[in-house]
Amino acid sequence: MRINAVICEYNPFHNGHKYQLEKIKKNNNLPVAAIMSGNFTQRGDVAIADKFARAEAAVRNGADLVIELPAAYACSNAENFAGAGVKIAAALGCTENLCFSVEEDNPELLIKAAELFSDESFNREVKALMKDGLYYPLAVERAFNKIAPKLAEAVAKPNNILAVEYLKALAGTEIKPMIIKRKGSNHDSKIITDGISSASNIRRMIIDGENYRGLLPENASAFPSPADIKKLEKPIVYKLRTMSPDDFNNLPEVSEGLNNRIYDAVRNYNSVKEIIDAVKTKRYTHARIRRTIIHALLGITKDEMKREVPYIRVLAFNETGAKILGEIKKAGRLPIITNVADGYKSLDENARRIFDIDLKASDIYSLASDKITPCGIDFTRPLKKL
């Protein structure tokens, strides 16, 4: 059995995601495995609904199997996020295509952009710009503007940035890219087109109590207790106040200098927003600082970030998904976890360190909702075929 894979957040699962899954299956009629972020996301935020609800919504609307992208990689920059997702897709042993949507009418531009990362002169330019103090994404953007200005505009769009990272990560694998033109609103847009809106706009509508129902499939539109990062304000500030400059320096994406900048901001300001605003510069973006705060909250260090993805954690599946799991058991290259209690015992120390972060993420995530659940929900939530 061969399958398609998507790397996603489904935060929340909306009509645009359903359209994408329908388009994928129409292209080649293969089943789809979704590799999905858990309870914390790549933008340094909590997911609007927990990973189990989002996984079930995906399976009820076109996905056949949902696998968790561990928090250590899900709460990371685009390169690490994409790289870990592709490694999971490859480890399944049966992935034919990695499917992703772009905001670009000419996907060839993105393929050329990905190929440029293996060009020596381009990499020399990126390294030189970073030596001058630029953060990697900004250095890449400047290098494109200088060496390949025609590609710079395409690469600057958020969905296209991830697409280029997927294409880079696919090099050296047998997985082929399936590039789909994004339908509806662009990333972070408030415009609603043909019943499709950006996930960020839908999250805002849910939190603000606006009517969002027509923007999601009916069986994925209930949010009895949406999570909001603002509800973690005091736990986050408490955690940051207990950390030293060395503690901050041990976090992913934190370099010498940034650690002291964060430490000073934490000592001088009382809210997360004030801290982020005090730390932000052209080099240190809002997204980077938000991720750093989540890394601190969850205890994700540089060491964990460097580790390879060590397991395949299943969140939801249907009858076809059960057949995919049978294929993964034969051809896959990582242990499969369907029962957490049994699976956790079988993991080695390296894998447990990554899994422990996911367990902690679930326990802390609950505090971002009005409906707080007991610790250990990963162990008590049964996995059922939908």
Side-chain angles (χ1 to χ4, degrees):
M1 174 186 281
R2 305 300 291 171
I3 66 168
N4 298 308
V6 295
I7 302 168
C8 56
E9 291 190 321
Y10 293 155
N11 182 33
F13 188 95
H14 57 65
N15 291 342
H17 298 133
K18 186 172 183 177
Y19 166 81
Q20 184 199 47
L21 291 175
E22 289 170 349
K23 188 81 173 173
I24 290 169
K25 290 191 172 181
K26 188 176 180 181
N27 279 354
N28 62 15
N29 204 33
L30 294 179
V32 177
I35 301 160
M36 187 191 78
S37 298
N39 289 326
F40 288 81
T41 67
Q42 202 258 336
R43 63 189 294 127
D45 202 350
V46 294
I48 194 80
D50 72 50
K51 60 190 179 184
F52 304 108
R54 287 161 34 241
E56 289 189 11
V59 171
R60 295 187 191 282
N61 289 281
D64 299 292
L65 173 68
V66 179
I67 294 161
E68 182 172 7
L69 179 61
Y73 319 105
C75 304
S76 185
N77 60 37
E79 185 176 31
N80 288 332
F81 177 93
V86 168
K87 284 174 183 173
I88 292 176
L92 300 181
C94 54
T95 304
E96 180 90 9
N97 304 288
L98 181 73
C99 313
F100 47 91
S101 299
V102 300
E103 298 170 27
E104 179 57 52
D105 291 322
N106 183 5
E108 285 298 318
L109 291 177
L110 303 179
I111 294 170
K112 288 179 181 177
E115 290 172 348
L116 199 56
F117 280 88
S118 60
D119 181 89
E120 285 187 19
S121 60
F122 178 81
N123 286 315
R124 276 198 304 270
E125 182 66 23
V126 171
K127 287 176 182 176
L129 289 166
M130 290 179 70
K131 228 175 190 180
D132 290 341
L134 290 185
Y135 178 45
Y136 176 73
L138 188 55
V140 168
E141 182 184 328
R142 295 275 178 87
F144 269 110
N145 282 324
K146 182 176 180 179
I147 294 175
K150 290 184 180 179
L151 302 179
E153 185 178 348
V155 172
K157 297 173 184 175
N159 281 79
N160 292 354
I161 291 170
L162 264 178
V164 170
E165 294 299 341
Y166 292 145
L167 290 165
K168 283 169 54 184
L170 287 174
T173 74
E174 295 180 355
I175 302 172
K176 299 185 290 290
M178 181 191 291
I179 303 175
I180 297 169
K181 179 70 170 69
R182 182 183 173 95
K183 181 180 179 182
S185 305
N186 288 335
H187 182 83
D188 280 343
S189 171
K190 292 184 179 180
I191 297 171
I192 298 172
T193 307
D194 297 329
I196 296 177
S197 179
S198 67
S200 59
N201 188 46
I202 296 172
R203 290 194 298 273
R204 180 194 61 78
M205 294 172 77
I206 293 169
I207 295 295
D208 291 348
E210 296 180 20
N211 182 9
Y212 60 86
R213 293 284 176 161
L215 303 176
L216 286 74
E218 190 58 37
N219 59 8
S221 61
F223 295 88
S225 185
D228 187 345
I229 192 73
K230 292 177 183 176
K231 293 172 184 172
L232 292 178
E233 178 88 9
K234 288 183 179 179
I236 288 172
V237 173
Y238 161 77
K239 177 62 180 178
L240 296 178
R241 287 186 174 189
T242 66
M243 297 176 68
S244 69
D246 285 343
D247 292 330
F248 285 117
N249 198 46
N250 200 31
L251 300 177
E253 299 187 63
V254 174
S255 55
E256 198 73 44
L258 177 55
N259 62 329
N260 290 316
R261 190 176 180 86
I262 298 171
Y263 180 79
D264 290 342
V266 170
R267 311 314 292 178
N268 287 288
Y269 296 96
N270 301 323
S271 72
V272 172
K273 183 182 185 306
E274 288 174 328
I275 292 168
I276 291 174
D277 288 343
V279 176
K280 185 198 174 297
T281 64
K282 286 185 178 179
R283 183 180 183 187
Y284 307 134
T285 63
H286 272 119
R288 182 180 179 183
I289 303 162
R290 286 197 305 267
R291 283 195 299 270
T292 294
I293 287 172
I294 297 303
H295 294 154
L297 183 67
L298 301 182
I300 302 171
T301 68
K302 288 172 179 169
D303 183 62
E304 278 92 22
M305 191 69 75
K306 292 175 184 174
R307 293 170 183 258
E308 295 290 328
V309 180
Y311 52 78
I312 296 165
R313 164 81 189 281
V314 179
L315 294 177
F317 66 103
N318 59 17
E319 189 171 341
T320 302
K323 294 176 183 176
I324 297 173
L325 286 172
E327 187 66 27
I328 296 170
K329 286 176 182 176
K330 291 188 291 184
R333 299 193 290 273
L334 290 173
I336 303 171
I337 297 176
T338 52
N339 181 294
V340 172
D342 293 339
Y344 185 79
K345 292 175 187 175
S346 68
L347 296 177
D348 61 25
E349 183 182 353
N350 170 61
R352 284 191 181 188
R353 285 185 64 174
I354 301 299
F355 207 106
D356 283 339
I357 293 170
D358 284 334
L359 299 176
K360 185 189 296 184
S362 292
D363 292 342
I364 294 175
Y365 174 82
S366 172
L367 304 178
S369 169
D370 289 333
K371 186 179 179 182
I372 298 175
T373 57
C375 290
I377 193 169
D378 284 86
F379 290 97
T380 59
R381 178 78 179 239
L383 178 65
K384 60 181 184 292
K385 184 168 70 175
L386 298 172

